[in-house]
Amino acid sequence: MNQAENWRVSHLGLLLVAVLLGATAAPMATTASAADVAEQQRLVDKARLTLMAFAADPGLQAALREWSPETRALFIVPQFLRGAFVFGGAGGSGLLLVRDEKTGNWGDPVFYTIGSASFGLQVGGDVSEIVLLVRTPKGLEEFYRSDFKLGVNAGMAVGPVGEGSSVHGLAADIIAYARKKGVFAGIAIDGALVAVADEANEAYYGKPARPTDIAIKQSAYNPQSLDLRNTATAVMK
């Protein structure tokens, strides 16, 4: 075999390898994408359970009814983890549901991360469920940014709990509720950083999608979120 034939054979071999690699890479990418979608769907399902648990609590039912007419969006964090470390930290994943002003329907979820850090000795760790009621355009605009800190530009207050509690007189942009082990409790999330989870949104909708694409333009849609949206409709009626 002469030099020219050797050159052709070697390059043909490289071409066959490239084709084979491409053929095997595509299923791998599909599998990874399916795993990402499944992960986000689990968060959607957990958010639905969190919202149902909050709505079923006798101490919150009256407040939710009063808040409902003016609630523009719900930010749900099914698991907010606080670690037990010398340099403590807390965080989790959450999603935002925005109510359409014209139809009153709840839109598809926008995915975010939320985290905060603290310094000094931390004793023990715990898990909380958090629901934020976004009441004003100012509060909602914060979520359309790439990231922001809770309670900095938009006012936030802890919502009242218990029978006979009244929401009158609270003028905050965002009302926060948190539960630990099924009991409503105060949790320090002022200053926590909320950031858009671009990769999670892209995985769930199959294309890059910003918060405004999902919540305002409604150009991204996933039918698997219907149960969560229906739950929001039933709870915030």
Side-chain angles (χ1 to χ4, degrees), residues 4-236:
E5 290 174 332
N6 284 333
W7 184 89
R8 285 195 296 272
V9 170
S10 62
H11 278 69
L12 179 59
L14 289 173
L15 179 60
L16 289 172
V17 170
V19 171
L20 290 172
L21 287 175
T24 57
M28 290 176 64
T30 302
T31 302
S33 177
D36 290 339
V37 173
E39 180 182 355
Q40 304 317 317
Q41 186 60 46
R42 283 193 293 271
L43 180 60
V44 169
D45 295 338
K46 288 179 181 178
R48 176 173 174 266
L49 293 176
T50 293
L51 190 55
M52 290 174 63
F54 274 57
D57 193 295
L60 189 57
Q61 289 174 349
L64 285 178
R65 284 195 298 269
E66 289 192 61
W67 286 128
S68 179
E70 58 189 69
T71 297
R72 297 172 178 267
L74 297 168
F75 183 59
I76 308 167
V77 183
Q79 290 183 312
F80 188 76
L81 308 174
R82 189 182 68 173
F85 305 102
V86 173
F87 294 98
S93 297
L95 53 82
L96 181 77
L97 298 178
V98 179
R99 179 186 268 166
D100 188 291
E101 292 184 5
K102 295 180 180 179
T103 66
N105 296 329
W106 292 90
D108 277 85
V110 186
F111 295 91
Y112 296 81
T113 60
I114 176 173
S116 62
S118 59
F119 299 92
L121 181 63
Q122 303 291 311
V123 180
D126 55 42
V127 180
S128 301
E129 300 172 281
I130 298 173
V131 173
L132 304 184
L133 310 181
V134 185
R135 301 173 56 237
T136 67
K138 183 178 181 180
L140 188 54
E141 284 293 328
E142 292 288 275
F143 286 90
Y144 294 154
R145 300 167 56 185
S146 295
D147 58 65
F148 69 98
K149 288 186 177 182
L150 287 171
V152 175
N153 293 320
M156 185 171 66
V158 175
V161 175
E163 295 183 8
S165 60
S166 176
V167 303
H168 299 297
L170 284 178
D173 302 293
I174 298 172
I175 304 299
Y177 287 96
R179 295 187 349 145
K180 296 179 184 178
K181 298 180 180 179
V183 178
F184 285 100
I187 182 171
I189 55 173
D190 272 347
L193 180 66
V194 177
V196 177
D198 288 317
E199 292 183 0
N201 286 310
E202 182 173 353
Y204 196 66
Y205 295 109
K207 62 181 181 180
R210 296 293 299 163
T212 51
D213 296 327
I214 302 166
I216 298 177
K217 299 176 184 178
Q218 300 178 5
S219 59
Y221 174 74
N222 188 324
Q224 297 300 315
S225 70
L226 182 59
D227 285 345
L228 172 61
R229 293 184 283 117
N230 285 341
T231 298
T233 299
V235 169
M236 305 300 292

